[in-house]
Amino acid sequence: AEANAQIDKEAEPTLIERGQDFARQHQVYLSMALFTRIPGQYLRENKTITLNPKGEIISTYFKSRPPPGEPSIIGDGVIPIIKTPFGIVSSVICSDMDSPFHLRQQSVQEGIDIMLAPSWDWKEIDPYHTYLSSYRAIENGFSMVRQTNDGLSMATDYQGNVLAAMDNFTTKENVMISQVPTKGVATIYAQIGDVFAWLCLVALVLTISWAIVRTSASRQRTT
């Protein structure tokens, strides 16, 4: 989950090496969620580092849309594309999933199959924040695995069907296992975004304007 590894910058290489050894030993793709303290700085590196089965770093992503007051260095916002035998995998962090605009960039439009979303919530927004994130999966046609501290962890398919769920506040388990589809689907929303909604708004404004004009003209004729 988000910020699971809270470490100092000088200790980061050793931790990454442990992850690389694990990936090589078990022949897995491993995504590590780090919250790295930098000497003399208030802000932290809130990021994910993804390793392939050879232990190579194939992606580094910094949280790009932190909420106000969060001590995270803001990333460049480019959502990574990780091509694997299990489909195209990507990763964003927690509140990044709140923004449909952030998810509607070229890399997502071209097709992501599985989105990993390490997150950290709190009781007052549990489980609603996770439910909100699932809308991004439906809009963009990818399966989602949202692993969450202090909240609801959930895996869904690209239609929003819940495949696995685990809430920090109602279970003692700390491991969630799920199988998700390895192929996403193309969606109209990923291509056109909110164009239809804006057209509806324009149509509403024009309809109201036309009604006002007709009413005004009718009153003038009556007068």
Side-chain angles (χ1 to χ4, degrees):
E2 180 183 9
N4 251 15
Q6 301 189 32
I7 57 172
D8 293 324
K9 189 65 175 178
E10 61 182 14
E12 183 181 272
T14 301
L15 180 64
I16 294 175
E17 287 178 8
R18 289 180 59 188
Q20 291 172 317
D21 290 341
F22 181 90
R24 283 190 292 263
Q25 179 182 350
H26 297 280
Q27 287 295 289
V28 296
Y29 288 84
L30 176 64
S31 185
M32 306 172 65
L34 309 183
F35 197 62
T36 305
R37 293 180 290 267
I38 303 172
Q41 288 194 29
Y42 170 70
L43 298 179
R44 309 287 195 265
E45 293 182 350
N46 191 347
K47 60 189 178 183
T48 59
I49 293 178
T50 304
L51 311 172
N52 66 15
K54 296 180 180 179
E56 300 167 335
I57 297 175
I58 55 176
S59 171
T60 300
Y61 174 83
F62 283 72
K63 189 172 185 177
S64 299
R65 292 180 178 267
E70 181 178 287
S72 295
I73 295 173
I74 298 176
D76 59 14
V78 178
I79 295 176
I81 292 292
I82 305 168
K83 295 182 179 180
T84 78
F86 316 104
I88 297 177
V89 181
S90 189
S91 176
V92 295
I93 301 174
C94 197
S95 54
D96 291 339
M97 288 284 280
D98 295 349
S99 171
F101 306 104
H102 183 59
L103 270 292
R104 207 164 58 237
Q105 55 185 259
Q106 189 64 33
S107 59
V108 179
Q109 292 176 350
E110 292 176 356
I112 288 173
D113 301 310
I114 302 171
M115 178 66 76
L116 305 178
S119 304
W120 197 328
D121 291 340
W122 57 92
K123 194 162 188 175
E124 287 73 17
I125 62 172
D126 172 49
Y128 309 108
H129 201 193
T130 298
Y131 294 157
L132 171 64
S133 296
S134 68
Y135 278 92
R136 303 291 90 81
I138 298 169
E139 290 167 352
N140 296 286
F142 53 67
S143 297
M144 176 193 77
V145 180
R146 187 179 196 265
Q147 53 276 37
T148 311
N149 280 323
D150 294 336
L152 177 66
S153 296
M154 190 165 72
T156 73
D157 65 14
Y158 47 78
Q159 293 181 324
N161 297 309
V162 178
L163 306 176
M166 179 185 69
D167 197 304
N168 263 173
F169 298 109
T170 59
T171 181
K172 295 181 180 180
E173 295 292 332
N174 293 308
V175 177
M176 185 183 78
I177 299 175
S178 178
Q179 293 180 333
V180 300
T182 57
K183 183 63 179 175
V185 295
T187 67
I188 295 176
Y189 184 84
Q191 300 299 319
I192 68 171
D194 295 321
V195 170
F196 179 72
W198 284 110
L199 289 175
C200 290
L201 182 61
V202 170
L204 176 62
V205 172
L206 291 176
T207 300
I208 294 173
S209 300
W210 176 244
I212 293 173
V213 170
R214 288 190 61 184
T215 301
S216 177
S218 177
R219 287 176 178 174
Q220 290 176 0
R221 286 196 299 268
T222 301
T223 302

